Amino acid sequence: MRSLPDDERRARLARRHALHPDHRVDGPVAATRALTVLHATEQATPYLSVHARTTSTPLGDVDAALFQERSLVKHPAMRRTIFAFPRDLLPAALGSASARVAAEEGRRLVRDAEHHGIADDGAVWLEAAARAVLDRLAGSPPLTARQLREELPELAGTTTTGNLDKRWGRTAPVAPRVLTMLWAEGRITRGPNAGSWRVSRPTWTLMTDWLGAPLDPTSTEEGYAELVRRWLGSFGPGTEDDLVWWLGSTKTAVRAALADVGAVRVALDGGAHGWVLPGDDEEEGPVGPWAALLPTLDATTMGWRGRDFYLDPRDVPYLFDTNGNAGNTAWWDGRIAGAWAQDPDGTVRVVLLPGGEERVPPEGREALDREAARLSAWLDGEVVTNVYASRLMRGERLP
């Protein structure tokens, strides 16, 4: 079995994720393909992820890919997360990870509609609500969730989670959940964003209207195999646990997909084994030192469950919230060395982890500062608000 040590994994990451300056790519679609998909839960993340991997990509180019050319399409899939997909990968997601999300959300909606008194028969209610949305969007310009909720009585109702007497309890309208289910099914999708590139104010439209043609989902097995094939090309080597986590699926589905793509087993540092695509186990040489600033929930930071080869486990509480969501990160030579934040005037500054001065040599700090200046110039004074802001971004220290 070929041994693929951590230093080679970091060199692969630098090349394949287009993070080393010598390996940056041209444009939003190429940057997305380098990572298989871009995280898009936070509105600004796709824009910042593309910037980190290209020499100079204007904001308008990302908007064009998402909203004019529609070569990238936002869609809920793995782990119920929103991703920006290359258009040709959507059928695989619809047949596998997205179908799983849609089925789970449908079951919850039926149960919650009955539990919260929205309908005596949750299944009948959900079918009527879904049909009302599809009928209203047919032949219509894109509409916001609020417009749909105000126009369609079928979307009326709220559900409650947690204890309302406690801080985690909340009441929420059921309409967004119906839209999410239809979105995961591929029947509707997000149209133009009514806010700026930093603010999510989506509108909704029929998927066939948005893409100009219907999408034919793959079978479940074909879908998972294609997702695993793309992921291994971007992230391999990865372990079975990495893939189960990334896909939000089962070991059975992952093992079947690995067999379908003919994955090759390799030995990893620490005694574990991982998988690569056939023919992708040839030795790769090192790359020179590099620096990168990645946004909240960037696909590289969130790409593996096992992150020890690029992240010291002791640093996790500074960089991730309790649900495992990563904030902005600063990378030096294949490892996370800190985070980045913005001053009120929009200037980007690097915040090293405790002891970071010992881990990052002077040339590394200079390279990170150059990346901060590059990002500051690209943002041109605009300040990005993050939902998932880590302790380090906020300047907090652990007890």
Side-chain angles (χ1 to χ4, degrees):
M1 193 191 314
R2 153 95 151 98
S3 177
L4 215 157
D6 287 351
D7 57 354
E8 187 171 351
R9 295 183 74 183
R10 290 190 290 269
R12 284 179 170 232
L13 182 155
R15 289 191 182 96
R16 299 185 183 201
H17 291 198
L19 291 173
H20 191 285
D22 292 343
H23 296 277
R24 287 177 181 153
V25 294
D26 184 19
V29 175
T32 303
R33 290 191 183 282
L35 296 158
T36 300
V37 290
L38 298 179
H39 267 263
T41 299
E42 285 223 354
Q43 174 65 18
T45 290
Y47 298 84
L48 294 163
S49 292
V50 168
H51 171 266
R53 295 167 171 87
T54 57
T55 301
S56 180
T57 297
L59 285 166
D61 286 8
V62 184
D63 273 335
L66 287 168
F67 303 118
Q68 282 82 52
E69 301 161 6
R70 300 166 194 177
S71 50
L72 299 178
V73 181
K74 289 185 180 182
H75 193 70
M78 298 76 75
R79 306 188 315 281
R80 300 175 60 84
T81 297
I82 302 171
F83 294 94
F85 279 83
R87 186 164 167 165
D88 67 302
L89 189 54
L90 274 176
L94 285 170
S96 56
S98 295
R100 181 183 176 93
V101 170
E104 289 177 350
E105 187 57 44
R107 286 192 292 269
R108 291 192 183 99
L109 278 166
V110 168
R111 179 196 65 203
D112 290 349
E114 295 173 356
H115 178 73
H116 295 282
I118 295 172
D120 293 332
D121 189 322
V124 171
W125 164 80
L126 181 56
E127 183 178 354
R131 176 48 52 196
V133 171
L134 297 174
D135 289 346
R136 179 62 186 87
L137 290 177
S140 167
L143 300 173
T144 65
R146 180 175 181 177
Q147 288 173 311
L148 289 167
R149 190 169 66 245
E150 290 176 347
E151 292 186 26
L152 302 176
E154 293 87 348
L155 295 180
T158 60
T159 59
T160 301
T161 56
N163 187 339
L164 293 180
D165 294 330
K166 305 293 184 179
R167 64 181 177 85
W168 57 82
R170 67 185 184 94
T171 298
V174 74
R177 295 178 58 188
V178 176
L179 297 177
T180 296
M181 185 198 73
L182 290 170
W183 190 17
E185 290 177 341
R187 294 201 275 178
I188 68 174
T189 190
R190 285 187 175 182
N193 184 44
S196 76
W197 69 275
R198 297 177 291 108
V199 179
S200 179
R201 291 178 182 167
T203 59
W204 296 94
T205 188
L206 297 181
M207 179 73 86
T208 52
D209 290 349
W210 187 246
L211 297 183
L215 279 176
D216 293 323
T218 66
S219 69
T220 301
E221 295 77 13
E222 290 171 331
Y224 278 128
E226 184 59 23
L227 289 174
V228 167
R229 181 182 292 108
R230 302 277 187 111
W231 186 90
L232 287 175
S234 297
F235 293 86
T239 66
E240 182 181 283
D241 284 346
D242 289 332
L243 275 162
V244 169
W245 175 82
W246 185 80
L247 285 171
S249 187
T250 65
K251 286 186 177 182
T252 298
V254 167
R255 289 170 180 170
L258 288 169
D260 287 342
V261 303
V264 176
R265 196 165 73 155
V266 295
L268 304 178
D269 284 355
H273 72 264
W275 300 91
V276 296
L277 289 174
D280 194 30
D281 55 350
E282 297 297 322
E283 185 173 353
E284 293 190 15
V287 297
W290 54 276
L293 302 183
L294 302 185
T296 295
L297 297 176
D298 184 82
T300 296
T301 311
M302 300 293 294
W304 295 265
R305 183 178 185 183
R307 299 166 178 148
D308 290 2
F309 75 98
Y310 64 87
L311 174 65
D312 189 324
R314 295 172 297 180
D315 296 329
V316 169
Y318 286 102
L319 301 164
F320 291 75
D321 68 15
T322 54
N323 292 320
N325 299 301
N328 297 342
T329 52
W331 293 63
W332 168 246
D333 203 18
R335 294 181 174 88
I336 298 179
W340 61 271
Q342 286 183 276
D343 293 331
D345 66 357
T347 301
V348 174
R349 53 185 170 81
V350 174
V351 186
L352 295 180
L353 286 159
E357 293 78 6
E358 299 175 1
R359 293 188 257 180
V360 180
E363 62 268 27
R365 187 57 202 250
E366 291 173 4
L368 286 167
D369 287 344
R370 286 194 297 271
E371 281 301 301
R374 185 172 85 96
L375 182 53
S376 293
W378 187 77
L379 289 168
D380 193 25
E382 296 204 57
V383 177
V384 176
T385 301
N386 299 106
V387 175
Y388 303 105
S390 66
R391 288 177 179 266
L392 197 60
M393 291 168 64
R394 297 193 300 264
E396 298 179 7
R397 297 292 176 177
L398 292 177

